[in-house]
């Protein structure tokens, strides 16, 4: 099969995922190099603009109110403080600023108006703006687009079959509906999942198949390694094998050749050579900065060494042309 000129079946995806590791990495690297400059890596910085106290029950998440974790709930940040963080992200070389809120869904209220103001401010700084705020309606997506939002992150997290082992308070269908609303508004879609929650290879294959079979594939595909947080139901999960991460990233790269594939949460638990394998297998985006949303991440000094050792450079912001 060539590089996915037709829609892949579940069997196609399984065959790719189960290719012997070195062949899989080699194939993914070829696809990566045909579509991207392999030395260029997108650097995104996350900011939790509203932390904790979330009504949902996502089993991996330290921000769910029902689990007893070290995260303390904080109200929605002021616009000024968010823009200060965005400016320092830009000055440290980031091109995308991603604002996350521990909400089930967006409500049409003053808080949403404030988020729209944050989006406008981030755009004025010359950054790509991304939000992840839970479920959104078509109208809310349209308003975010008008404010200048480039991307919206909403993950499917895992396969439809495994999903209800992790989350009960909303359905897979709910997630797909939000993704469709974002797409209709003309915002690019950032959608991926988590590896290491006890799911099988078949669950990862099904997730990758679903992502590649969306009406249009997501422009960004974040692949998170579970960060097991004390107090959550998944606290005792062991660190996922690097080969599971590499297989998932490589398969995503082959299935979605032009997308950005993000080596997302979990880099703190990986060596430099583990991360190098992920870049070789087609990852071309990371979250940088000391913190993800609530958990630690390799800081700028470590990432500078990583980039120097691998000859990587941060990619410039891609500003939408109207
Ligand atoms: N509340 C919004 C939502 O769930 O859509 C936005 C923020 S939520 C924290 C964004 C994503 O972060 C989740 O869908 C999940 O994929 C990822 N995530 C959350 N906690 C994680 C963890 N402990 N390890 C890895 N990924 C995690
Ligand atoms: C994504 O896929 N991963 C990011 C971002 N999208 C919002 C979040 C990772 C969160 C890890 C746990 C935490 O720091 O709270
Ligand atoms: Fe809430 Fe998002 Fe965490 Fe789920 S992942 S509990 S929706 S903050």
């Amino acid at each position: 099969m060539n590089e996915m000129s037709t829609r892949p079946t579940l069997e196609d995806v399984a065959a790719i995922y189960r290719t012997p590791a070195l062949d899989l990495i080699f194939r993914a690297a070829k696809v990566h190099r045909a579509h991207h400059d392999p030395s260029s890596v997108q650097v995104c910085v996350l900011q939790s603009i509203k932390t904790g106290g979330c009504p949902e029950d996502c089993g991996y998440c330290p921000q769910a109110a029902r689990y007893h974790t070290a995260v303390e709930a904080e109200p929605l940040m002021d616009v000024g403080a968010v823009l200060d963080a965005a400016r320092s992200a830009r000055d440290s070389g980031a091109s995308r600023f991603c604002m996350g809120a521990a909400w089930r869904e967006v409500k049409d209220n003053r808080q949403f108006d404030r988020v729209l103001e944050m989006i406008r401010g981030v755009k004025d700084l010359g950054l790509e703006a991304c939000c992840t705020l839970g479920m959104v309606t078509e109208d809310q997506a349209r308003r975010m687009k008008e404010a200048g939002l480039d991307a919206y992150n909403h993950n499917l997290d895992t396969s439809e079959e495994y999903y209800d082992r992790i989350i009960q308070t909303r359905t897979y269908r709910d997630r797909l509906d939000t993704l469709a609303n974002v797409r209709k508004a003309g915002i690019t879609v950032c959608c991926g999942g988590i590896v290491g929650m006890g799911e099988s290879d078949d669950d990862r294959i099904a997730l990758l198949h679903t992502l590649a079979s969306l009406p249009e594939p997501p422009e960004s595909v974040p692949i998170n390694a579970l960060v097991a947080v004390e107090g959550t139901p998944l606290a005792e999960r062991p660190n996922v094998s690097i080969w599971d991460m590499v297989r998932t990233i490589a398969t995503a790269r082959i299935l979605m050749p032009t997308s950005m594939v993000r080596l997302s949460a979990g880099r703190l638990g990986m060596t430099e050579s583990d991360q190098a394998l992920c870049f070789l297998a087609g990852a071309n985006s990371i979250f940088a900065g000391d913190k993800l949303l609530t958990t630690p991440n390799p800081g700028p000094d470590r990432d500078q060494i990583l980039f120097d050792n691998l000859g990587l450079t941060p990619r410039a912001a891609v500003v939408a042309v109207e």
Side-chain angles (χ1 to χ4, degrees):
M1 189 173 26
N2 72 6
E3 197 195 280
M4 301 300 135
S5 49
T6 53
R7 294 207 160 241
T9 63
L10 191 61
E11 291 68 35
D12 294 333
V13 179
I16 296 169
Y17 184 92
R18 296 185 194 283
T19 306
L22 296 181
D23 292 341
L24 176 59
I25 295 170
F26 183 64
R27 182 169 166 195
K30 276 197 294 185
V31 173
H32 186 193
R33 277 146 208 263
H35 294 89
H36 305 267
D37 169 0
S39 69
S40 167
V41 171
Q42 180 189 45
V43 176
C44 312
V45 165
L46 280 166
Q47 175 67 47
S48 181
I49 59 170
K50 187 269 167 187
T51 305
C54 184
E56 299 289 272
D57 70 349
C58 312
Y60 47 75
C61 187
Q63 302 200 67
R66 66 192 69 205
Y67 309 136
H68 299 284
T69 69
V71 172
E72 291 194 23
E74 287 165 37
L76 184 65
M77 285 173 72
D78 292 331
V79 176
V82 172
L83 297 185
D84 287 345
R87 203 170 296 109
S88 71
R90 183 193 63 183
D91 295 344
S92 70
S95 58
R96 176 172 285 196
F97 191 69
C98 181
M99 295 169 274
W103 285 331
R104 168 183 166 74
E105 71 219 314
V106 168
K107 301 206 171 95
D108 294 301
N109 57 18
R110 302 268 284 273
Q111 300 216 339
F112 184 43
D113 295 338
R114 203 192 293 175
V115 174
L116 295 174
E117 215 183 307
M118 292 173 193
I119 294 169
R120 286 189 282 268
V122 169
K123 291 308 298 172
D124 286 344
L125 290 169
L127 286 159
E128 295 172 28
C130 176
C131 279
T132 179
L133 314 169
M135 295 185 283
V136 294
T137 64
E138 220 179 305
D139 187 59
Q140 290 163 343
R142 183 189 54 73
R143 292 180 67 198
M144 290 193 289
K145 173 71 184 173
E146 279 170 13
L149 192 71
D150 295 285
Y152 194 82
N153 166 250
H154 199 63
N155 290 340
L156 288 172
D157 282 344
T158 188
S159 68
E160 185 163 16
E161 293 71 30
Y162 197 64
Y163 181 87
D164 65 6
R165 301 272 297 275
I166 304 294
I167 299 146
Q168 274 95 44
T169 50
R170 66 178 148 179
T171 64
Y172 217 66
R173 180 80 271 166
D174 290 333
R175 297 219 179 207
L176 290 165
D177 289 346
T178 286
L179 294 172
N181 292 340
V182 169
R183 184 55 85 197
K184 261 185 244 157
I187 298 169
T188 70
V189 170
C190 171
C191 182
I194 306 179
V195 181
M197 302 191 294
E199 75 287 344
S200 63
D201 285 335
D202 284 339
D203 290 310
R204 295 180 198 135
I205 289 163
L207 168 66
L208 290 161
H209 179 250
T210 304
L211 291 171
S213 309
L214 289 171
E216 279 180 76
E219 284 78 3
S220 294
V221 183
I223 306 294
N224 296 277
L226 175 73
V227 179
V229 181
E230 210 178 311
T232 63
L234 298 181
E236 302 305 324
R237 282 272 156 216
N239 259 3
V240 69
S241 148
I242 186 62
W243 302 112
D244 292 345
M245 277 301 278
V246 166
R247 275 186 190 285
T248 306
I249 287 170
T251 307
R253 167 53 66 221
I254 292 165
L255 292 174
M256 295 169 276
T258 60
S259 302
M260 303 301 288
V261 176
R262 187 167 308 119
L263 170 58
S264 302
R267 288 195 302 119
L268 208 52
M270 293 179 197
T271 62
E272 245 180 44
S273 36
D274 287 347
Q275 295 180 64
L277 278 172
C278 294
F279 292 125
L280 196 57
N284 61 350
S285 175
I286 58 164
F287 285 123
D290 294 309
K291 225 177 180 191
L292 291 164
L293 289 171
T294 66
T295 63
N297 192 48
D301 297 348
R302 255 175 91 164
D303 279 342
Q304 187 61 55
I305 295 170
L306 177 75
F307 274 43
D308 287 347
N309 282 337
L310 302 182
L312 303 175
T313 48
R315 113 171 175 164
V318 179
V319 182
V321 182
E322 290 302 316

